[in-house]
Structures are given as C-alpha cells and as structure tokens.
Amino acid sequence: MKDNAATGLRDAVSDLHKRLRRTYSAEGFSISELTTLSFLYRHPFLYPTELAQLAKVKSQSMSAILKKLEAAGLTRRRAKDADGRRMAISLTAAGRKMVDRTRYERDEWLSDALLSLSTAELAAVKKAIPLLQKIAAIP
C-alpha cells in the first residue's frame, strides 16, 4: 500500500501544476510548444532530438512544434558544427520575451494565491521548497 503522503503530495503538485498551466496568455500555443520554449530558455542551443527527449515527444512531433515556433518568429535554427549539417535551435528575442511574460503571469498568480495563506502557512510553504526540489532531483 502506498504512503498517504505520497498520494497527497502527488495530487497537490499535480493540481498546482494544472492550475499554473492554465495561467498564461500565450494564446494559440500548446503546452508542448511552451514547454519547448522553456527548455530553450534554460539551454541556449539544443538539437531537435535533444528537445524531443526533454519534452518526451516523438521526433516527428518536435519537428511540427519547431516549425510552428519558427514560423511565429520565436525560435531560429543555426548550424552548430563545421560542415553546417546539424542545426541547433535557439530562442529569438521574441521567444525569450514570451517565456518571460508567461513566467511572470504564473508568478503573479502564485504570489496572489500565497497572500491568502496565514503567516505560519506561508512559512511552511517556504520551508518545504528545498525539500520539494530535493525530491524532484531524485533520478
């Protein structure tokens, strides 16, 4: 039988994640497309195969995602090796701005939500952050 703490934590994190995913104004872009932009925000140059692995999608799906993002002016392709055959993907200034905006919107919602907590509850949330990060880092 699973630990009730595990089930409760999974449910709470899942619910919070879903709520944060609904809190962005990047209309017309899927979660997979926004996730791809987020990976590129953290890693300035990635190959399409690396992005597919990170996003846990098939190469064909990532090709479609990258095509849409490039057409929207959010990403660009650049040759990353001497012969120019391998193309790495990076964000444009517009892509970086979109990621910044969606992160800001989610941070604003979360900041407002945290205001509804008592001082003791907010302290408990702050104390739990390093523990949640530690759990997330376990392979």
Side-chain angles (χ1 to χ4, degrees):
M1 185 168 168
K2 292 284 183 188
D3 183 359
N4 284 339
T7 301
L9 180 59
R10 178 186 42 78
D11 288 346
V13 169
S14 178
D15 290 346
L16 181 58
H17 183 252
K18 288 173 189 170
R19 180 61 183 93
L20 287 170
R21 283 175 42 178
R22 290 192 315 263
T23 308
Y24 65 87
S25 65
E27 293 176 22
F29 291 96
S30 70
I31 294 300
S32 295
E33 291 159 351
L34 293 173
T35 298
T36 299
L37 291 174
S38 183
F39 286 128
L40 289 167
Y41 191 91
R42 288 178 287 198
H43 308 282
F45 292 97
L46 289 171
Y47 294 107
T49 53
E50 293 171 321
L51 280 165
Q53 289 171 343
L54 287 169
K56 295 181 178 25
V57 298
K58 294 182 180 186
S59 294
Q60 297 87 342
S61 297
M62 184 53 65
S63 292
I65 289 168
L66 293 174
K67 191 176 287 188
K68 180 176 178 180
L69 295 175
E70 190 171 15
L74 302 175
T75 62
R76 67 176 157 258
R77 298 172 189 264
R78 286 194 169 158
K80 284 297 285 178
D81 54 11
D83 65 9
R85 289 185 293 160
R86 289 197 64 198
M87 301 298 278
I89 311 300
S90 64
L91 287 179
T92 63
R96 186 167 286 288
K97 186 176 180 179
M98 177 182 270
V99 174
D100 285 337
R101 187 180 76 242
T102 60
R103 285 182 174 187
Y104 174 80
E105 290 167 352
R106 288 177 283 175
D107 284 352
E108 283 296 300
W109 177 85
L110 196 50
S111 292
D112 289 345
L114 290 173
L115 291 174
S116 70
L117 301 179
S118 70
T119 303
E121 289 169 330
L122 183 57
V125 168
K126 288 179 179 179
K127 192 172 181 178
I129 293 169
L131 299 174
L132 294 170
Q133 291 170 328
K134 183 176 180 179
I135 293 167
I138 295 172

